[in-house]
């Protein structure tokens, strides 16, 4: 889903355009509005913007000044100037900017909507064209990426020794054409792909290549980066900002969040894959990379696995020592990752390898493997509080209650099956609860900001996926649901007869009575005044 921001200091124009575009392409266009250049900048900081439709002559921060700031945040953003000033100087300056169009307000709504649709088509075509270019590039750099990946994986696990000599490290980066600077801080972004179960190894490799291409296309303009696949099948990106225009840590994080959201959406739309991200804190010392990588993995394993494409930031070290003990062995660590990510087939494949290796070893090895797996399962049950949902889970640490160690592993396997079944049911129930909470919030806050961005912030979603998820669950667009709630509430208030139309409009989220009247007539066929008069006539007859 793409995001359109409408900016004009004349409220009636802003509200009218907002109404037009909110119903124009509800499945493709998320519409936001601002009544000043300063308010528009707040939207830019808050979320990604793809198209800006703005007046030029505004007090405080005019449209030309606004666009310069916008393109610092989101350089791919397209701009449409909509103004009543047929001024040559304005037009000349507008056309000097990249990706900018110029329309007069006198050209009417049809011309404006047609132009926005054209810009949307250009964005989509650009994505398709760039994808073809990147596919060609990928073949050329395949060998180089392989060499870079091997080196960076070695660095991940041996950072203390690999990064001991910064001069040597810089030299190796140059030889491998790695664009990162080992003397500057970095960020990690850990991405987890939710591959469809029926996909083969070759098909998964193709999906992985597509994700890499999407990432490269969306992020290459603003950051330096290199991505590697770790031993668990997840993608770890090393990231440093370019010198301009991102200057601070918070600016970089905001840029990453907005662009990662776009990557998630494109992965879902173009290749049908959910992608979850975890962003690290800034890493100043390259020698500590191994330590930070382990922390990021633990955070992802403990907090994700919902099936939704979320974006999580590392804030504090909230992982307790008890939970960290889940990572006692490499095999068990992989098992944990599969359980958290709901990868059923991979989990049991790994489980059977652990069991086979244990049963072929000595007694102490068998006991160690049993308790390691039992700890993984118990930690998961404890994390979600599923003590009463798993029958006989009290036997997890009573190995002597099993007739044999083989029977003990059969018991662990059954507990694992039960966990996956409960998780499937819980996720279905969670989806229902999430949508119910969103609907309840909408109904109670009709007079407040109900933009997709705001709803996503309140309920910890990414905005594009929230729109997709809501329609999938309820069968209608979220904007349609908001409109139905507003019209229902408006009818109730008009029925009472005490409030003025202006007061009713404010209570259902319309600051302009004119916009409310147009909305009400569109939904009911009557103006608010006509509707109230009809009610009064019906009650008196």
């Amino acid at each position: 889903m793409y995001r359109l921001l409408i900016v004009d200091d004349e409220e009636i124009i802003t509200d009218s355009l907002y109404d037009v575009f909110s119903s124009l392409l509800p499945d493709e266009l998320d519409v936001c509005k601002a009544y000043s250049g300063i308010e528009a900048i707040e939207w830019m900081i808050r979320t990604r913007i793809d198209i800006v439709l703005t007046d030029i002559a505004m007090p405080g921060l005019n449209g030309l000044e606004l666009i310069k700031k916008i393109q610092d945040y989101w350089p791919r953003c397209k701009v449409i100037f909509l103004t009543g000033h047929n001024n040559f100087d304005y037009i000349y300056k507008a056309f000097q900017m990249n990706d900018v169009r110029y329309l007069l307000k006198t050209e009417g709504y049809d011309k404006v909507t047609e132009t926005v649709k054209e810009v949307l088509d250009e964005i989509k075509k650009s994505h398709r064209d760039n994808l073809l270019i990147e596919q060609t590039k990928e073949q050329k750099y395949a060998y180089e990426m392989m060499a870079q990946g091997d080196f960076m994986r070695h660095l991940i696990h041996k950072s203390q020794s690999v990064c001991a000599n910064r001069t040597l490290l810089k030299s190796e980066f140059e030889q491998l054409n790695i664009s990162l600077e080992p003397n500057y801080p970095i960020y990690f972004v850990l991405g987890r792909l939710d591959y469809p179960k029926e996909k083969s190894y070759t098909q998964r490799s193709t999906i992985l290549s597509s994700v890499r291409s999407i990432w490269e296309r969306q992020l290459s303009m603003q950051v330096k980066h290199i991505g590697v696949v770790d031993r668990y099948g997840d993608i770890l990106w090393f990231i440093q900002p370019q010198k301009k225009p991102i200057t601070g840590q918070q600016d970089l994080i905001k840029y990453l969040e907005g662009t990662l959201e776009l990557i998630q959406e494109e992965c879902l739309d173009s290749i049908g894959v959910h992608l979850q991200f975890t962003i690290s804190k800034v890493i100043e010392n390259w020698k500590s990379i191994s330590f930070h990588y382990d922390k990021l993995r633990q955070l992802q394993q403990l907090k994700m696995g919902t099936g939704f494409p979320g974006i999580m930031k590392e804030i504090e070290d909230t992982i307790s020592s008890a939970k960290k003990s889940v990572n006692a062995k490499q095999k068990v660590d992989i098992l944990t990752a599969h359980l958290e990510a709901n990868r059923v087939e991979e989990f049991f494949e790994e489980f059977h390898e652990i069991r086979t290796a244990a049963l072929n070893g000595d007694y102490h090895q068998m006991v160690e493997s049993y308790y390691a797996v039992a700890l993984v399962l118990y930690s998961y049950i404890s994390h979600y509080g599923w003590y009463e949902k798993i029958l006989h889970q009290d036997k997890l640490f009573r190995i002597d209650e099993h007739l044999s160690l083989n029977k003990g592993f059969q018991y662990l396997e059954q507990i694992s099956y039960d966990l996956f079944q409960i998780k499937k049911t819980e996720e279905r129930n969670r989806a229902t609860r999430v949508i119910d909470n969103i609907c309840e919030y909408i109904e109670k806050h009709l007079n407040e900001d109900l933009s997709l961005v705001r709803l996503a912030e309140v309920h910890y979603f990414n905005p594009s996926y929230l729109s997709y998820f809501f329609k999938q669950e309820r069968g209608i667009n979220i904007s349609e649901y908001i409109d139905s709630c507003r019209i229902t509430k408006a009818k109730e208030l008009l029925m009472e007869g005490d409030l003025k139309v202006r007061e009713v409009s404010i209570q259902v989220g319309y600051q302009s009575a004119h916009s409310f009247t147009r909305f009400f007539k569109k939904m009911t066929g009557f103006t608010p005044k006509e509707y109230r008069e009809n009610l009064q006539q019906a009650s008196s007859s």
Side-chain angles (χ1 to χ4, degrees):
M1 177 170 285
Y2 300 99
R3 194 158 294 126
L4 168 68
L5 176 62
I6 301 168
V7 189
D8 200 306
D9 59 314
E10 296 183 55
E11 289 190 17
I12 189 169
I13 294 176
T14 306
D15 292 342
S16 299
L17 287 170
Y18 179 84
D19 292 343
V20 169
F21 283 106
S22 292
S23 58
L24 181 65
L25 297 167
D27 289 330
E28 294 186 52
L29 205 58
D30 176 24
V31 187
C32 310
K33 60 182 178 179
Y35 300 110
S36 68
I38 300 300
E39 190 178 343
I41 293 299
E42 292 173 359
W43 275 107
M44 289 294 145
I45 296 172
R46 186 176 173 187
T47 189
R48 187 195 81 252
I49 299 296
D50 302 294
I51 306 172
V52 173
L53 179 62
T54 180
D55 190 11
I56 293 184
M58 294 185 293
L61 189 70
N62 68 43
L64 296 172
E65 295 167 331
L66 170 64
I67 297 311
K68 290 178 182 177
K69 291 183 177 293
I70 286 174
Q71 292 182 334
D72 279 348
Y73 282 100
W74 306 107
R76 296 181 185 273
C77 182
K78 305 288 186 179
V79 177
I80 304 171
F81 280 128
L82 181 65
T83 182
H85 293 269
N86 193 0
N87 183 293
F88 175 78
D89 186 52
Y90 275 137
I91 297 174
Y92 178 77
K93 289 181 180 178
F95 275 103
Q96 298 307 303
M97 296 182 172
N98 294 326
D99 297 324
V100 169
R101 297 193 181 203
Y102 188 97
L103 294 175
L104 292 174
K105 292 179 180 178
T106 54
E107 294 184 82
Y109 287 125
D110 289 343
K111 180 63 176 177
V112 176
T113 55
E114 177 187 339
T115 302
V116 170
K117 287 180 179 179
E118 288 175 359
V119 171
L120 275 175
D121 289 339
E122 288 175 7
I123 294 174
K124 294 174 186 176
K125 183 178 183 301
S126 175
H127 286 171
R128 291 193 297 269
D129 292 344
N130 287 335
L131 182 59
L132 292 174
I133 294 171
E134 292 303 326
Q135 287 173 344
T136 303
K137 280 185 179 179
E138 190 168 343
Q139 296 176 352
K140 179 180 178 182
Y141 296 118
Y143 178 79
E144 185 178 89
M145 287 175 59
M146 186 182 302
Q148 290 176 351
D150 289 343
F151 180 81
M152 297 308 289
R153 275 187 290 271
H154 177 60
L155 187 153
I156 290 169
H157 300 294
K158 300 286 185 180
S159 64
Q160 193 72 26
S161 58
V162 175
C163 301
N165 187 328
R166 292 291 182 90
T167 303
L168 178 60
L169 183 62
K170 185 176 179 64
S171 173
E172 290 182 309
F173 277 13
E174 290 173 354
Q175 292 178 50
L176 291 169
N177 200 23
I178 295 173
S179 62
L180 302 177
E181 172 54 61
N183 293 318
Y184 295 162
I186 60 165
Y187 285 88
F188 282 158
V189 172
L190 188 59
R192 172 170 291 173
L193 282 166
D194 183 16
Y195 293 103
K197 295 179 182 178
E198 70 278 2
K199 299 297 183 182
S200 66
Y201 176 82
T202 304
Q203 290 171 323
R204 290 187 179 201
S205 297
T206 302
I207 289 172
L208 183 61
S209 296
S210 298
V211 172
R212 284 179 179 274
S213 296
I214 291 169
W215 173 283
E216 178 71 25
R217 184 167 62 255
Q218 296 293 349
L219 273 172
S220 59
M221 292 181 65
Q222 290 285 58
V223 299
K224 297 184 289 187
H225 59 86
I226 183 171
V228 297
V229 178
D230 67 10
R231 63 187 180 189
Y232 308 105
D234 294 333
I235 312 174
L236 180 70
W237 281 280
F238 295 70
I239 292 176
Q240 287 178 336
Q242 301 280 12
K243 292 183 179 180
K244 292 182 180 180
I246 297 177
T247 56
Q249 293 182 13
Q250 289 304 314
D251 286 345
L252 176 59
I253 290 296
K254 284 294 182 184
Y255 172 76
L256 282 177
E257 287 180 334
T259 310
L260 293 179
E261 175 195 335
L262 195 60
I263 292 171
Q264 287 176 328
E265 181 184 351
E266 190 170 349
C267 285
L268 187 61
D269 289 344
S270 63
I271 54 180
V273 170
H274 288 165
L275 184 57
Q276 298 175 333
F277 289 115
T278 308
I279 306 173
S280 76
K281 296 186 290 187
V282 64
I283 302 170
E284 303 280 355
N285 185 358
W286 280 64
K287 289 184 181 180
S288 65
I289 280 176
S290 299
F291 170 75
H292 285 284
Y293 166 72
D294 288 338
K295 282 181 59 179
L296 202 63
R297 281 210 56 81
Q298 292 168 20
L299 178 64
Q300 186 185 67
Q301 290 166 7
L302 290 169
K303 300 296 184 182
M304 283 196 171
T306 61
F308 303 140
I311 299 173
M312 185 188 313
K313 292 180 291 185
E314 180 189 4
I315 302 174
E316 298 293 340
D317 186 7
T318 57
I319 303 169
S320 69
S321 58
K323 289 177 180 175
K324 286 180 180 178
S325 65
V326 171
N327 301 306
K329 297 176 63 178
Q330 178 180 339
K331 283 284 187 182
V332 174
D333 196 5
I334 297 173
L335 200 69
T336 303
H338 291 327
L339 179 61
E340 287 289 345
N342 210 27
R343 298 191 283 255
V344 181
E345 293 180 7
E346 292 88 342
F347 175 91
F348 286 108
E349 181 180 332
E350 200 68 41
F351 176 88
H352 292 149
E353 286 186 17
I354 293 172
R355 180 175 64 181
T356 300
L359 295 178
N360 289 332
D362 59 26
Y363 176 80
H364 295 291
Q365 183 180 347
M366 287 187 283
V367 171
E368 181 184 1
S369 296
Y370 174 90
Y371 280 120
V373 175
L375 183 59
V376 170
L377 300 180
Y378 181 79
S379 296
Y380 200 79
I381 294 168
S382 175
H383 180 70
Y384 289 99
W386 290 348
Y387 304 106
E388 296 180 0
K389 296 182 179 183
I390 302 293
L391 297 177
H392 310 302
Q393 55 89 18
D394 57 316
K395 293 170 59 178
L396 277 170
F397 298 111
R398 298 178 183 175
I399 197 169
D400 56 329
E401 292 193 12
H402 303 296
L403 294 177
S404 65
L405 280 172
N406 189 33
K407 291 289 185 182
F409 276 102
Q410 290 178 13
Y411 161 79
L412 294 179
E413 186 172 16
Q414 184 58 54
I415 293 290
S416 302
Y417 276 115
D418 293 343
L419 279 175
F420 279 113
Q421 289 300 314
I422 291 171
K423 187 174 183 181
K424 184 178 180 180
T425 302
E426 287 289 319
E427 287 179 355
R428 180 71 266 159
N429 294 339
R430 178 181 177 273
T432 301
R433 289 195 300 270
V434 166
I435 294 301
D436 288 345
N437 290 340
I438 291 172
C439 291
E440 183 180 352
Y441 181 88
I442 290 170
E443 292 166 9
K444 291 182 178 180
H445 299 80
L446 288 174
N447 62 333
E448 299 177 14
D449 177 11
L450 291 179
S451 65
L452 196 55
V453 172
R454 177 57 182 163
L455 293 174
E457 288 174 346
V458 172
H459 297 91
Y460 306 103
F461 263 84
N462 100 44
S464 298
Y465 188 73
L466 174 57
S467 175
Y468 167 85
F469 180 53
F470 190 94
K471 186 169 184 179
Q472 188 181 52
E473 292 296 316
R474 286 297 176 99
I476 61 173
N477 295 318
I478 198 166
S479 58
E480 293 175 323
Y481 182 78
I482 294 171
D483 285 346
S484 69
C485 290
R486 281 178 166 152
I487 203 67
T488 300
K489 181 67 174 179
K491 287 179 178 178
E492 292 174 0
L493 295 173
L494 290 169
M495 192 179 299
E496 294 173 4
D498 297 330
L499 297 175
K500 296 178 180 179
V501 171
R502 169 67 176 170
E503 294 170 326
V504 172
S505 71
I506 291 174
Q507 289 201 30
V508 297
Y510 279 86
Q511 299 303 313
S512 165
H514 175 76
S515 296
F516 169 66
T517 299
R518 185 171 60 253
F519 160 74
F520 193 91
K521 186 167 185 178
K522 176 184 174 182
M523 297 293 289
T524 66
F526 301 99
T527 66
K529 182 179 179 182
E530 291 169 346
Y531 181 80
R532 175 175 277 169
E533 289 173 351
N534 290 341
L535 288 176
Q536 292 171 347
Q537 291 175 5
S539 62
S540 62
S541 61

